[in-house]
Amino acid sequence: MTTPTIEEWTTHLRTASDRARSVSGRVKVWSQEVTARRAQRTHRPDEAANPIGILAGITLGIPALLLIPLVGMNPGVQDGTFTTVVTFLVVSAFVTAAIFEIKRLADQPSDEDHH
């Protein structure tokens, strides 16, 4: 068995270097495409906040924030009233979210190809 010559090693190293550059270029292009797709997906300045969601947050949030100190700090309130109020608020939030989700599903265009 003969030892490879310097010319053979040089040729082999050049080929490997060319392959590495080619792969590096493909990885660079791929990473740029992925970054561009992510930017398109996440950056949507045209979309405004959903006014129904804001209204629901105000409708449920302000009474909840006001009732917590009123009920919790009032000495004339019976034990367990705070738990009842919190339970009522959680159930109200769930029902409101369910109604908004049903509305969102109902507002979607029907897909005639889907059976």
Side-chain angles (χ1 to χ4, degrees):
M1 180 165 181
T2 62
T3 313
T5 62
I6 300 263
E7 289 83 21
E8 290 173 347
W9 277 108
T10 305
T11 305
H12 180 68
L13 289 174
R14 282 186 187 148
T15 305
S17 175
D18 291 342
R19 286 184 191 156
R21 262 190 239 117
S22 174
V23 169
S24 174
R26 286 187 296 215
V27 168
K28 183 178 178 182
V29 168
W30 175 77
S31 65
Q32 288 173 348
E33 289 174 354
V34 168
T35 303
R37 273 188 260 134
R38 282 184 186 156
Q40 289 174 352
R41 206 175 334 143
T42 57
H43 183 63
R44 294 181 182 157
D46 300 342
E47 292 182 10
N50 187 356
I52 296 176
I54 294 171
L55 181 62
I58 292 170
T59 303
L60 294 173
I62 291 176
L65 292 175
L66 291 176
L67 281 175
I68 289 172
L70 287 174
V71 172
M73 298 170 80
N74 191 345
V77 176
Q78 296 177 357
D79 291 338
T81 304
F82 184 71
T83 306
T84 304
V85 169
V86 170
T87 303
F88 175 73
L89 290 173
V90 169
V91 170
S92 298
F94 178 77
V95 169
T96 303
I99 290 171
F100 287 140
E101 183 65 18
I102 291 169
K103 181 188 178 308
R104 185 187 67 83
L105 291 173
D107 288 345
Q108 288 181 348
S110 63
D111 201 14
E112 294 187 21
D113 294 334
H114 182 64
H115 295 281

